[in-house]
């Protein structure tokens, strides 16, 4: 199989690393070669963060090049637009509706962009917006927003949900397995075309 | 067993399988996780040393004493450890000694992007460079064999994308490597001039032997494909090139010092056009060209930043990828966290319009707007020496408006010697130690001041006040950085003194603190939109059209904004 690429983006502290761990576990379990690249250190402190996940028969580079990603999984709306040019022309985007203002906006140097959704749809018609934070809040733990988003991702991919659930169980803290699986199901049951 | 592993974890696994008994380090991105993972093996004694020089010296001692030993550091850490490195090259080893150095092309988390391969050449030490996690594991094991066979320390160079990428590895068993006999060998281990002159001859012999053996070493391999393009590459650059041009012919180098001249000449003869693809400096290129081989490298590739598969496809094959331009959006650089204890100090420093020499850590982020609290950042520990230098250059009037700002871990790493200099040479600097009880930026590692070791044992913490007094500083005071009035009083008084002084701002890192407080809110009826709270640079306080707003998903309830609001418009829920 040709190498496939999933780019995960967000703001440092949002839990993007957990999403990449779930994907890593899943693809290893399915027998693929897998490479995941993430940046630690300074960028984690509330900055723009990105994780590259690639899988296939044989993966060379751990990095996704602009114009080549199959899927963009975004935890924040402006970050989605920042990285959307990494998608290939027929790529899909799954975007958490949350907005987090960067310091430059907080200070009034810039405005948080208006009509983000319109600009995103113009760049990628196959975009799914999903309010993962509200789902997580309804379930009583804002930290499970990332598993809810993974649920939407699972919906778009040709892998049985049981395999995803196994990967989630292997990665999340044991005490939070139930709530994470609930969040995953909420995302997975989203009606998407 | 197969497992997905971070490059850094695979290095630790390789050390475990190679029978390593001692692993040392000072934390530094992108190398930190190596020693954290090594510490998880009961068979390995692992420690955070106060700095990289000490880390390497401990590893050298262990090697001389007969145990396989490893020291790990980031590229700039190797500068600190360079002194022992250059001389252990002369002494050689008893049991194997491997030094891991993690470079950071593109400077994701560093102050420069120096190329550590020059150290291998300058110190005459063999260097291996893995390209993924499996190679990281395998190369560590090979490095220990080479170290003992050729009586030399061995360097392993990582770059961020190998250190912080996960790929699949096959795990092996730990080798049973007994302690080697310890012998007193002054002619080998005491590097005074007469002995060192003889050892230098041995170093040259060893490097020649290694260079001869390099062409037959399994980690240097030719992968013949289309012979119109031949590519010489190592490490992550090999992966990028392979991604871009999978059908080309490759000479993949696992050892980047010394180079396998015979193998390179043979490969050059088999291909029509030869390229060298390497990140940062033309280290391979200059050597290959010096042998009269025609090769293209930095004529088409940059010496700064990272390479990429797209760039290689375009530069070598003329194949430009049609990519939508990136959108123009507000930047999102990293920021100090909500509840960060540094914010209190920086707010007051900004208010008093103090100049500040800064240092390396999360608090370097205080250079950015709105706090703009520090003027400089050069290297670990530099803040104190630089403040002293500024005072000597511009006089006491200037230095009364100047402080040095340094973290607790950084102070222990290399701030102490700077402070001794201030005392000894009659300076009057004021040093602010931002003591958040951890090594924050690299992800919360312990250090001699925290009272815990890397192995999780409780130990008596270094008493900073006593240490500073012992140096000869009479004025040391401890403040809570969130008590803004105390901070202001301390800064005003200490900067005016005609002798050196230290203010220790003590409050644990917001990410470590277990204290959970209710978030605070702004009462829009009381708020006058003066914007003072925005000067704190807290990511939770947002400026909306209707006024200031506090984002409760980010606010950790530290309450610092309550203290700066003159109108009492900010309140904690339930109060």
């Amino acid at each position: 199989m040709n190498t496939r690429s999933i780019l995960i983006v967000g703001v440092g502290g949002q839990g993007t690393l957990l999403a990449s761990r779930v994907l890593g576990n899943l693809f290893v379990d399915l027998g693929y070669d897998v490479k995941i690249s993430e940046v630690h250190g300074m960028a984690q402190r509330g900055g723009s963060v990105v994780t590259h996940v690639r899988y296939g028969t044989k993966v060379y580079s751990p990095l996704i090049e602009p114009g080549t990603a199959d899927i963009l999984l975004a935890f924040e709306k402006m970050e989605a637009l920042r990285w959307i040019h990494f998608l290939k022309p027929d790529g899909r985007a799954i975007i958490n509706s949350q907005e987090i203002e960067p310091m430059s906006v907080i200070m009034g140097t810039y405005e948080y962009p208006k009509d983000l959704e319109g600009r995103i749809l113009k760049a990628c018609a196959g975009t799914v917006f999903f309010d993962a934070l509200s789902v997580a809040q309804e379930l009583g733990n804002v930290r499970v927003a990332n598993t809810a988003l993974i649920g939407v991702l699972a919906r778009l991919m040709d892998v049985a949900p049981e395999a995803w659930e196994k990967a989630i169980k292997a990665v999340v803290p044991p005490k939070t397995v139930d709530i994470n699986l609930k969040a995953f199901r909420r995302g997975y049951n989203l009606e998407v075309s | 067993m197969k497992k997905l592993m971070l490059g850094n974890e695979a290095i630790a696994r390789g050390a475990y399988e190679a029978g390593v008994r001692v692993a040392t380090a000072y934390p530094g991105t992108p190398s930190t996780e190596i020693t954290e993972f090594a510490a998880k093996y009961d068979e390995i004694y692992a420690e955070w040393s106060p700095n990289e020089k000490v880390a390497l010296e401990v590893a050298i001692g262990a090697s001389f004493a007969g145990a396989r030993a490893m020291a790990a550091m980031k590229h700039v850490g190797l500068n600190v450890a360079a002194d022992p490195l250059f001389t252990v090259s002369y002494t050689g080893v008893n049991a194997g000694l491997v030094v891991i150095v993690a470079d950071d092309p593109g400077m994701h988390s560093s102050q420069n992007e120096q190329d550590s391969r020059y150290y291998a050449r300058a110190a005459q030490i063999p260097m291996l460079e893995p390209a993924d996690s499996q190679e990281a594991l395998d190369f560590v094991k090979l490095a220990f064999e080479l170290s003992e066979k050729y009586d030399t320390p061995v360097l392993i160079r990582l770059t961020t994308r190998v250190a912080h990428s996960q790929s699949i590895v096959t795990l092996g068993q730990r080798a049973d490597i007994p302690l080697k006999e310890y012998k007193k060998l002054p002619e080998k281990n005491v590097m005074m001039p007469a002995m060192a002159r003889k050892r230098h001859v041995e170093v040259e012999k060893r490097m020649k032997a290694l260079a001869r053996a390099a062409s037959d070493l399994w980690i240097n391999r030719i992968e013949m494909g289309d012979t119109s393009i031949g590519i010489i590459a190592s490490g992550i650059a090999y992966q990028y090139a392979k991604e871009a041009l999978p059908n080309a012919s490759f000479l993949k180098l696992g050892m980047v010092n010394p180079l396998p001249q015979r193998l390179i000449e043979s490969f050059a003869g088999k291909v029509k056009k030869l390229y060298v693809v390497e990140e940062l400096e033309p280290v391979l290129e200059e050597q290959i060209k010096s042998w009269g081989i025609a090769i293209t490298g930095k004529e088409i590739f940059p010496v700064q930043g990272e390479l990429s598969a797209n760039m290689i496809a375009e530069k070598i094959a003329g194949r430009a990828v049609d990519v939508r331009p990136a959108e123009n959006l507000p930047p999102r650089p990293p920021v100090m966290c909500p509840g960060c204890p540094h914010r209190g100090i920086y707010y007051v420093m900004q208010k008093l319009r103090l100049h500040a020499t800064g240092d390396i850590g999360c608090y370097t982020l205080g250079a950015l707007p709105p706090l703009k609290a520090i003027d400089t950042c050069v290297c670990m520990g530099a803040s104190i020496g630089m403040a002293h230098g500024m005072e000597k250059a511009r006089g006491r009037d200037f230095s009364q408006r100047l402080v040095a700002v340094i973290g607790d871990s950084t102070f222990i790493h290399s701030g102490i010697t700077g402070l001794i200099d201030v005392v000894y040479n009659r300076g009057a600097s004021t040093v602010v130690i931002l003591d958040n009880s951890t090594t924050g930026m690299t992800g919360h590692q312990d250090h001699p001041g925290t009272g815990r070791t890397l192995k999780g044992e409780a130990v008596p913490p270094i008493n900073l006040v006593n240490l500073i007094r012992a140096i000869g500083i009479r004025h040391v005071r401890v403040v809570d950085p969130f008590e803004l009035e105390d901070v202001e009083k301390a800064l005003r008084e200490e900067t005016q003194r005609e002798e050196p002084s230290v203010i220790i701002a003590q409050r644990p890192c917001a990410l470590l603190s277990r204290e959970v407080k209710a978030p605070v809110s702004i009462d829009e009826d009381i708020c006058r939109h003066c914007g003072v709270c925005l000067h704190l640079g807290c990511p939770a306080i947002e400026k909306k059209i209707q006024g200031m707003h506090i984002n409760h998903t980010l606010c950790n309830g530290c309450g610092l904004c309550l203290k700066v609001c003159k109108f009492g418009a900010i309140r904690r829920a339930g109060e």
Side-chain angles (χ1 to χ4, degrees):
Chain A
M1 192 192 90
N2 285 338
T3 301
R4 289 176 62 84
S5 300
I6 302 173
L7 194 73
I8 307 173
V9 305
V11 177
Q14 276 193 301
T16 52
L17 290 184
L18 181 112
S20 63
R21 282 215 296 280
V22 170
L23 290 177
N25 252 280
L26 176 76
F27 296 136
V28 170
D29 224 34
L30 296 172
Y32 292 115
D33 189 20
V34 186
K35 284 190 178 167
I36 298 175
S37 178
E38 51 208 31
V39 170
H40 302 211
M42 186 177 248
Q44 280 178 294
R45 303 279 174 260
S48 169
V49 292
V50 57
T51 303
H52 305 245
V53 179
R54 307 193 74 218
Y55 65 103
T57 311
K58 171 74 187 162
V59 181
Y60 291 109
S61 173
L63 295 188
I64 301 170
E65 298 292 322
T68 67
D70 296 278
I71 294 178
L72 172 71
L73 182 67
F75 282 58
E76 200 273 348
K77 229 189 276 179
M78 186 168 79
E79 293 311 308
L81 189 60
R82 192 188 306 282
W83 296 95
I84 207 144
H85 63 288
F86 271 67
L87 278 176
K88 59 188 194 188
D90 59 344
R92 306 276 318 246
I94 299 154
I95 299 174
N96 183 13
S97 317
Q98 197 180 352
E99 297 184 352
I100 300 175
E101 297 189 347
M103 195 50 66
S104 55
V105 170
I106 289 173
M107 292 310 298
T109 318
Y110 293 91
E111 257 185 67
Y112 193 87
K114 296 186 182 76
D115 189 31
L116 269 178
E117 298 203 359
R119 286 168 75 181
I120 288 166
L121 285 168
K122 207 174 138 197
C124 173
T127 297
V128 180
F129 291 100
F130 179 64
D131 188 356
L133 189 62
S134 296
V135 168
Q137 275 164 346
E138 278 171 40
L139 291 171
N141 185 348
V142 291
R143 286 167 173 245
V144 300
N146 45 20
T147 20
L149 268 179
I150 291 170
V152 184
L153 172 66
R155 186 80 193 195
L156 294 188
M157 288 175 61
D158 195 18
V159 177
E162 291 73 25
W164 287 92
E165 290 179 349
K166 190 178 161 207
I168 290 168
K169 280 184 202 162
V171 165
V172 301
K175 277 186 194 164
T176 66
V177 166
D178 286 346
I179 188 166
N180 272 295
L181 291 182
K182 267 187 203 158
F184 172 78
R185 279 283 165 186
R186 286 286 297 269
Y188 189 77
N189 291 334
L190 187 76
E191 286 302 323
V192 292
S193 50
Chain B
M1 192 184 128
K2 282 186 189 297
K3 195 171 178 252
L4 197 57
M5 261 191 189
L6 206 59
N8 282 346
E9 183 180 3
I11 292 281
R13 180 70 199 189
Y16 167 77
E17 291 182 12
V20 163
R21 291 166 189 257
V22 174
T24 61
Y26 180 81
T29 313
S31 71
T32 311
E33 298 85 359
I34 294 169
T35 315
E36 289 181 318
F37 280 112
K40 293 186 179 179
Y41 295 106
D42 290 340
E43 295 88 342
I44 300 179
Y45 165 80
E47 72 167 40
W48 293 132
S49 311
N51 64 35
E52 295 84 353
K53 178 176 183 289
V54 176
L56 180 51
E57 289 155 354
V58 172
I60 293 170
S63 158
F64 280 20
R68 285 191 168 185
M70 177 173 86
M73 56 204 67
K74 69 181 295 176
H75 60 324
V76 287
L78 192 57
N79 299 336
V80 179
D83 201 355
L85 182 81
F86 276 72
T87 302
V88 77
S89 171
Y90 279 31
T91 63
V93 303
N94 180 15
L97 174 67
V98 173
V99 179
I100 316 287
V101 57
D103 286 5
D104 190 15
M107 294 172 276
H108 298 279
S109 211
S110 303
Q111 65 270 40
N112 74 33
E113 55 181 344
Q114 66 188 52
D115 190 325
S116 293
R117 293 177 300 171
Y118 280 134
Y119 268 113
R121 297 203 69 200
Q124 300 272 60
I125 292 173
M127 177 181 258
L128 313 184
E129 185 176 23
D132 60 24
S133 298
Q134 183 67 58
E135 287 194 353
L137 192 161
D138 294 338
F139 285 18
V140 170
K141 289 159 79 171
L142 174 66
F144 278 100
E145 287 166 24
L146 293 174
S147 173
E148 289 171 4
K149 183 172 175 190
Y150 291 92
D151 192 8
T152 177
V154 175
L155 281 159
I156 291 186
R157 180 202 191 214
L158 304 176
T159 54
T160 302
R161 302 300 188 173
V162 172
H164 284 166
S165 289
Q166 300 177 48
S167 58
I168 296 173
V169 298
T170 304
L171 305 185
Q173 296 293 315
R174 178 170 167 93
D176 181 24
I177 310 279
L179 267 185
K180 286 194 165 186
E181 190 190 349
Y182 177 70
K183 283 187 220 149
K184 188 167 171 170
L185 296 170
E187 64 285 357
K188 188 168 183 297
N189 292 338
V190 180
M191 285 301 92
M192 49 208 285
M195 280 98 149
R197 280 183 207 114
K198 287 180 187 144
R199 289 302 305 171
H200 191 181
V201 177
E202 296 303 314
V203 170
E204 297 303 322
K205 274 192 212 160
R206 163 185 94 204
M207 293 313 282
K208 284 206 174 74
L210 268 158
R212 278 194 302 274
S215 289
D216 301 312
L217 201 62
W218 62 270
I219 60 171
N220 295 326
R221 62 165 195 265
I222 289 175
E223 300 166 0
M224 286 314 288
D226 174 359
T227 54
S228 63
I229 294 174
I231 295 171
I232 300 176
S234 69
I236 199 67
Y238 164 79
Q239 306 286 12
Y240 296 155
K242 200 78 183 169
E243 186 78 35
L245 304 161
N247 300 322
S249 293
F250 281 84
L251 168 52
K252 186 197 178 286
L253 296 177
M255 180 146 88
V256 293
N257 190 58
L259 291 181
Q261 186 173 350
R262 182 161 47 81
L263 193 66
I264 289 171
E265 284 169 344
S266 146
F267 181 68
K270 288 177 184 157
V271 296
K272 211 155 138 198
K273 173 106 176 125
L274 190 62
Y275 295 90
V276 55
V277 179
E278 57 186 325
E279 275 180 336
L280 302 179
E281 303 297 328
V283 178
L284 307 179
E285 182 179 340
E286 285 179 352
Q287 293 177 80
I288 295 168
K289 281 183 172 163
S290 77
W291 304 327
I293 296 173
I295 191 163
T296 303
K298 295 299 174 188
E299 295 94 330
I300 55 172
F301 291 112
V303 291
Q304 63 279 93
E306 297 185 279
L307 301 179
S308 73
N310 276 2
M311 186 197 292
I312 293 165
E314 188 184 334
K315 301 285 187 188
I316 294 183
R319 200 177 70 218
V321 180
D322 187 22
V323 178
R324 241 192 320 260
E327 300 270 343
N328 189 18
L329 292 168
R332 193 192 296 273
V335 288
M336 295 194 310
C337 305
C340 177
H342 306 329
R343 189 168 280 114
I345 288 278
Y346 281 173
Y347 177 77
V348 178
M349 280 167 50
Q350 183 204 46
K351 184 178 160 190
L352 299 180
R353 297 182 191 283
L354 293 175
H355 286 289
T357 49
D359 227 294
I360 307 272
C362 288
Y363 48 93
T364 317
L365 296 171
L368 303 175
L371 290 163
K372 294 192 262 185
I374 63 168
D375 302 17
T376 68
C377 166
V378 175
C379 69
M380 293 288 286
S383 58
I384 301 177
M386 285 178 66
H388 184 59
M390 284 189 175
E391 178 180 317
K392 294 299 175 189
R394 300 193 72 90
R396 187 62 194 131
D397 281 352
F398 181 81
S399 79
Q400 283 182 340
R401 287 175 287 120
L402 172 71
V403 293
V405 175
I406 186 168
D408 47 339
S409 189
T410 309
F411 178 70
I412 292 168
H413 177 284
S414 50
I416 298 169
T417 41
L419 194 57
I420 290 172
D421 186 49
V422 173
V423 175
Y424 172 50
N425 287 307
R426 305 179 64 209
S429 298
T430 297
V431 175
V432 180
I433 299 177
L434 301 171
D435 181 4
N436 62 355
S437 314
T438 191
T439 315
M441 179 62 88
T442 45
H444 303 116
Q445 287 74 31
D446 281 295
H447 64 68
T450 66
R452 259 168 64 99
T453 69
L454 173 57
K455 281 290 203 178
E457 301 133 322
V459 287
I462 294 277
N463 183 320
L464 285 182
V465 173
N466 287 352
L467 174 76
I468 291 159
R469 288 224 169 96
I471 287 173
I473 290 183
R474 298 191 301 166
H475 301 280
V476 190
R477 60 163 105 175
V478 178
V479 296
D480 177 345
F482 277 8
E483 295 301 329
L484 298 179
E485 284 171 19
D486 294 353
V487 171
E488 184 169 337
K489 187 164 181 281
L491 281 170
R492 281 186 190 280
E493 288 174 6
E494 299 306 336
T495 49
Q496 296 314 304
R497 277 188 212 288
E498 292 306 319
E499 59 183 297
S501 56
V502 174
I503 299 168
I504 303 175
Q506 231 164 34
R507 184 173 264 264
C509 171
L511 299 179
L512 280 187
S513 169
R514 304 243 165 231
E515 194 183 23
V516 182
K517 284 186 170 172
V520 299
S521 302
I522 295 177
D523 186 331
E524 285 177 19
D525 295 334
I526 302 175
C527 174
R528 306 266 186 96
H529 302 187
C530 71
V532 164
C533 55
L534 294 175
H535 291 148
L536 289 171
C538 176
I541 309 177
E542 300 166 348
K543 188 179 179 183
K544 300 277 186 199
I545 301 156
Q546 65 273 27
M548 311 310 163
H549 171 80
I550 292 175
N551 182 337
H552 280 189
T553 60
L554 294 175
C555 175
N556 92 332
C558 78
L560 190 63
C561 54
L562 262 77
K563 294 177 183 166
V564 303
C565 180
K566 294 184 196 109
F567 307 105
I570 307 179
R571 290 182 191 154
R572 197 180 301 280
E575 281 177 16

